[in-house]
Amino acid sequence: MAIAHARPGDVIVVSAGQYAEAGSFGDVLANACVAKGLAGLVADTGARDTQELRKLGFPVFSYSVSRKGTVKETVGPMAEPVLIGGEIVRPGDVVRADADGVVVVRREDLKDVIAKSRARVDAEDAYIAAYRAGKSVIEVSRLAAVLEAKGLVIDE
């Protein structure tokens, strides 16, 4: 079982194939993950016990919510690349997720992705500061010339 072999800080990524609607993960296994210090679970199958998962605070990103239970007798490969959501996830890849979705970053691309992410956050912080200072979206995004070229003139 992946939980038994995972190391603290790992994210478990599960592809269940034809069992996409089964509730194969719930609060019992989430407690096992928390006790082991795991960081989260991403699965193309269902999760159940969602209230308990929220209370526990263990991040679970699943295809669906389903009360259909499963048995613990199916064994699949571990620590191998897995196809999930149309993306191949390899052991060692960095998996990050939030309420908007899940992203996978190849370990060899991590430095570049971090630099680009920081630059984007800095740019967005500057946009927000400009809006709070009273500038319009047209000013901040430099849209006046674009809009004028399309025949729309905005009097500010």
Side-chain angles (χ1 to χ4, degrees):
M1 172 177 269
I3 297 168
H5 294 283
R7 296 181 307 248
D10 281 354
V11 173
I12 295 177
V13 179
V14 178
S15 179
Q18 70 267 24
Y19 301 106
E21 293 183 14
S24 61
F25 190 86
D27 68 324
V28 173
L29 290 177
N31 273 282
C33 291
V34 168
K36 187 128 188 208
L38 303 184
L41 174 106
V42 176
D44 65 356
T45 184
R48 61 182 184 275
D49 309 324
T50 58
Q51 274 188 301
E52 291 83 358
L53 291 175
R54 285 186 185 103
K55 287 178 194 171
L56 186 59
F58 184 72
V60 174
F61 297 85
S62 65
Y63 172 79
S64 66
V65 174
S66 177
R67 61 182 180 83
K68 296 178 189 176
T70 59
V71 296
K72 310 280 187 291
E73 54 187 52
T74 306
V75 179
M78 288 188 296
E80 292 183 12
V82 62
L83 179 65
I84 183 168
E87 185 71 28
I88 294 177
V89 181
R90 303 173 307 177
D93 286 348
V94 177
V95 178
R96 295 288 302 207
D98 65 16
D100 294 328
V102 179
V103 66
V104 178
V105 179
R106 308 277 175 252
R107 182 156 303 281
E108 63 268 18
D109 297 334
L110 191 57
K111 273 186 171 179
D112 184 48
V113 170
I114 289 172
K116 288 177 178 174
S117 296
R118 286 185 176 145
R120 182 174 180 124
V121 167
D122 291 346
E124 289 177 352
D125 287 347
Y127 295 148
I128 292 167
Y131 298 142
R132 290 182 177 163
K135 293 194 176 202
S136 74
V137 173
I138 294 171
E139 288 176 286
V140 172
S141 297
R142 298 182 183 110
L143 292 175
V146 172
L147 296 173
E148 187 175 338
K150 295 187 180 283
L152 181 61
V153 178
I154 305 291
D155 293 328
E156 292 194 45

